[in-house]
Amino acid sequence: MISAPSGDGRPPAPDASLPPRPLPVEEPWTAERAVETYRALFRDAPFTIVSNREPWLARRRPDGGMEYVRPAGGLTAALDPVMRAMGGTWIAWGPPAAVSATGADGDALRFRVPPESPAYEVRRVPLSDVEVRNYYHGYANESLWPLCHSILEHVRFRERFWRAYVDVNRRFAEAVLDEAPDPRTLVWIQDYHLALVPELVRARRPDARLAHFWHIPWPSWDLFRVSPNHRELLRGLLANDLLGFHLESFCDNFLRCCEQDLEVLIDWRRRAVVHEGHVTMLRALPISIDADSFHELAGRPDTAERIAELRRRYGLEGRLVGVGADRLDYSKGILERLDALRFLFRRHPELVGRFTFVQIGSPSRVEIAAYAELQQNVEAAVARLNDALATPDWKPVVYVPRGLGQEDLAAFYRMADLAIVSSLQDGMNLVAKEFVAAQVERPGVLCLSEFAGAAEELEHAITVNPFYTEGFAEDLHRALTMPLEEREERMRAMQAILQRGNVYRWIGDVFTAAREALDLGRRRARPRAAAGTVAPTTASSVGGGTATGGGPA
Ligand code: GDG
């Protein structure tokens, strides 16, 4: 029996006059506090970010001039105010082919943002179409992405992918050397597109300060070794002072790979590794979102109006609603989710006509065959489910095959009685956190894959196993029938976690960890662990401490 919120068994329409329930009170971190943390730790040392994607998009206006637009949400939105206050340089791939073809300042190698009061510089690394195909779609997204998500069926290695990856990483490294001549500069590299940049920079500037955050999982050694370039990747990353992952288990996987592949000294307690005399500190630093902004957006009266409109448009009035919002990526478990929904309706026919699941699927990496295929498979699975079960005025699944604006996304999150995040593997998953932040009244339930990094922090979610369809379906049923009191209790606990650990706290934690890593490297007594002379896990001294050796504590 569904425990529906209102007397007539239907969820009430959102009430625009209700003030949104405030997030539990605790002084949240802000961009200013992250900047103060940097200043306290690094004084006036310059700051540089290196990422594949540009933080601002260059677009040509109809009058022929250029305009620079910041994408809403995501990491770039959180880092933008930090960069504005610190005034550094952001190095990224650009200009996009469409803009460069038009010439003028669209193919400028650098520009300053924000346009109205320039505060920091974007330095672009232009790539040809062939390079984009082989480095970005190829090595980054057909080799590394599926490998790191342990999905071997989609892994493809090609010589030309690797060659382009090396070349492009070299160009990024050159840009770092040009743009950050001051050795005190903290260079913060983002993600799996740029694994070789640290080594290439360090070779030319041994005293560089390098931090790197890897946003996706790191696989176990038995999978990682299938890469023909496994040693080069590890060597590239071991030139960092700090290497951050979302989870401790990813750090430990990385250390085990080093242990198997290279002559290294490992201090498992500190998660530090010495390779060719250089110390790299690993740290689990789970990313987060700007929870207050999301809560505020979801709680706006016009969001309530938007909800009413979306319910009308998609036939959701008076129904229980579930939501999923993903890039169309095979790692997100969208097909497994649709399977579980099929089981749910079969086992609980009382839900027919009463519950609708909305799947928002923004097309992603469509140039890659596996992604184009997934898009078709999702459409086909939705059509099968709807053909089998739909009634004249109801559909089990509403599929929105495109990305939505933040406002619509927040409205769907707020309206939903249930959200499904069913990743087969995921570094963190920000959708899970956004859904939690967007609950402002009569909270919904988060069904969260145990294989998403977010499950470690959001332990008050209902955890699901996307590989076990029947169990998954029963978990969905449990979520849909959960009493309001329990939903509120779980949501309060998760919102408190997000408010304490928002994205600005994450940035501050990265700065603090980078400082510790640099200090650890400096303190290290032994100048050089010569290759071949030290057994990989022999107990030894890293930064003056005692290494435990032999495995994680
Ligand atoms: C990588 C890691 C890690 C989705 N649909 C729409 C939309 N989105 C936004 C969400 C969210 C973002 O995209 C997706 O973030 P995820 O974290 O879920 O996933 P990835 O893109 O795979 O990100 C991941 C992350 O890096 C950060 O470290 O958490 O594990 O794989 O913000 O809101 N946004 C809008 N419309 C949509 O339709 N506006």
Side-chain angles (χ1 to χ4, degrees):
M1 181 59 203
I2 308 288
S3 131
S6 65
D8 63 356
R10 301 284 190 218
D15 181 350
S17 64
L18 271 181
R21 200 159 40 86
L23 283 175
V25 181
E26 185 164 322
E27 203 48 48
W29 271 67
T30 57
E32 292 72 40
R33 191 162 161 198
V35 173
E36 280 163 23
T37 304
Y38 185 87
R39 296 270 178 252
L41 296 168
F42 294 95
R43 300 213 185 84
D44 57 350
F47 181 52
T48 291
I49 294 183
V50 193
S51 70
N52 176 62
R53 286 271 178 209
E54 289 183 293
W56 286 69
L57 303 176
R59 283 195 206 148
R60 189 160 293 283
R61 287 193 309 259
D63 66 7
M66 293 304 297
E67 64 179 4
Y68 296 99
V69 188
R70 191 168 58 76
L75 180 58
T76 49
L79 281 170
D80 183 71
V82 173
M83 287 298 281
R84 286 187 201 204
M86 304 222 287
T89 306
W90 191 316
I91 299 170
W93 154 34
V99 171
S100 62
T102 62
D105 62 345
D107 52 13
L109 260 191
R110 57 181 80 239
F111 54 87
R112 289 182 67 78
V113 287
E116 64 284 4
S117 56
Y120 68 94
E121 186 152 271
V122 178
R123 158 69 150 88
R124 298 156 130 192
V125 178
L127 303 182
S128 70
D129 289 349
V130 176
E131 283 172 331
V132 172
R133 208 160 44 239
N134 289 314
Y135 142 80
Y136 177 69
H137 294 127
Y139 200 77
N141 286 320
E142 285 199 78
S143 308
L144 275 180
W145 175 273
L147 179 65
C148 288
H149 288 85
S150 307
I151 305 179
L152 290 189
E153 86 182 268
H154 292 307
V155 172
R156 287 197 333 146
F157 295 112
R158 295 287 181 272
E159 217 174 274
R160 65 191 153 85
F161 291 177
W162 175 249
R163 264 203 311 268
Y165 190 79
V166 173
D167 283 353
V168 170
N169 270 250
R170 183 166 295 125
R171 296 242 295 288
F172 271 89
E174 275 158 15
V176 172
L177 291 162
D178 288 350
E179 299 301 323
D182 184 338
R184 297 172 312 139
T185 309
L186 179 67
V187 179
W188 185 11
I189 304 158
Q190 306 290 331
D191 232 346
Y192 62 99
H193 315 87
L194 303 172
L196 308 180
V197 169
E199 190 185 12
L200 293 163
V201 171
R202 176 117 15 239
R204 299 256 298 278
R205 189 167 302 143
D207 55 352
R209 295 169 161 186
L210 304 176
H212 199 136
F213 193 83
W214 194 265
H215 289 260
I216 62 176
W218 191 274
S220 61
W221 159 245
D222 49 332
L223 291 177
F224 180 62
R225 65 195 294 202
V226 309
S227 162
N229 322 102
H230 49 99
R231 280 196 192 87
E232 290 97 322
L233 291 167
L234 293 175
R235 293 177 69 92
L237 289 166
L238 285 175
N240 282 301
D241 297 298
L242 172 71
L243 176 57
F245 291 99
H246 292 305
L247 304 183
E248 292 186 350
S249 57
F250 301 156
C251 296
D252 290 340
N253 283 349
F254 181 87
L255 288 176
R256 282 202 192 88
C257 291
C258 294
E259 186 179 50
Q260 295 292 335
D261 247 355
L262 300 171
E263 295 290 346
V264 289
L265 294 168
I266 296 178
D267 179 337
W268 287 94
R269 190 175 56 81
R270 282 204 171 99
R271 289 207 171 86
V273 46
V274 188
H275 176 245
E276 297 187 348
H278 178 77
V279 183
T280 305
M281 191 179 90
L282 275 74
R283 202 34 92 70
L285 296 158
I287 199 171
S288 196
I289 58 163
D290 186 345
D292 276 347
S293 296
F294 230 92
H295 193 71
E296 190 273 327
L297 171 62
R300 284 184 201 162
D302 54 326
T303 302
E305 285 160 25
R306 200 176 279 271
I307 289 174
E309 148 60 18
L310 290 169
R311 277 191 185 272
R312 259 195 309 277
R313 190 188 317 162
Y314 291 108
L316 304 171
E317 284 168 310
R319 313 213 194 266
L320 290 164
V321 172
V323 71
D326 310 77
R327 277 189 308 101
L328 285 172
D329 191 297
Y330 48 76
S331 68
K332 303 292 180 186
I334 302 167
L335 292 172
E336 289 74 4
R337 178 183 316 175
L338 293 168
D339 260 354
L341 287 164
R342 192 164 51 84
F343 258 76
L344 175 73
F345 285 112
R346 189 191 294 167
R347 289 195 168 183
H348 300 282
E350 73 278 11
L351 287 170
V352 168
R354 302 191 60 199
F355 169 59
T356 293
F357 185 74
V358 180
Q359 176 63 52
I360 301 155
S362 38
S364 176
R365 306 173 190 167
V366 288
E367 297 80 355
I368 298 173
Y371 285 78
E373 210 173 288
L374 175 75
Q375 215 171 334
Q376 286 170 6
N377 290 342
V378 167
E379 274 163 29
V382 169
R384 271 199 306 277
L385 204 53
N386 284 344
D387 287 349
L389 292 173
T391 61
D393 68 338
W394 171 84
K395 282 202 272 194
V397 180
V398 168
Y399 180 46
V400 184
R402 60 175 192 283
L404 299 180
Q406 287 257 299
E407 293 78 8
D408 279 352
L409 190 63
F412 272 118
Y413 287 153
R414 174 173 161 184
M415 110 175 47
D417 302 281
L418 165 81
I420 308 180
V421 170
S422 52
S423 318
L424 309 180
Q425 273 289 309
D426 217 330
M428 174 54 62
N429 196 290
L430 297 180
V431 170
K433 293 191 169 184
E434 290 164 1
F435 174 73
V436 167
Q439 302 309 298
V440 294
E441 84 241 296
R442 307 189 74 84
V445 179
L446 173 63
C447 289
L448 176 58
S449 166
E450 55 188 285
F451 309 111
E456 280 201 5
E457 285 168 279
L458 301 180
E459 54 184 9
H460 297 86
I462 298 280
T463 47
V464 300
N465 177 352
F467 298 97
Y468 174 41
T469 312
E470 289 147 296
F472 187 174
E474 281 316 306
D475 291 330
L476 296 179
H477 184 255
R478 179 173 164 220
L480 282 170
T481 53
M482 187 180 284
L484 178 62
E485 204 175 301
E486 183 180 348
R487 297 199 317 250
E488 284 185 326
E489 217 169 282
R490 285 171 181 266
M491 198 47 75
R492 252 196 310 276
M494 292 193 283
Q495 291 189 332
I497 289 167
L498 285 195
Q499 215 194 19
R500 275 197 303 275
N502 69 12
V503 70
Y504 299 112
R505 162 97 188 254
W506 177 76
I507 295 169
D509 286 350
V510 169
F511 293 154
T512 306
R515 181 73 267 170
E516 283 172 28
L518 289 162
D519 292 346
L520 182 68
R522 247 204 334 246
R523 278 206 315 275
R524 185 172 172 268
R526 198 192 301 211
R528 197 171 169 82
T533 60
V534 184
T537 53
T538 313
S540 110
S541 169
V542 177
T546 305
T548 52

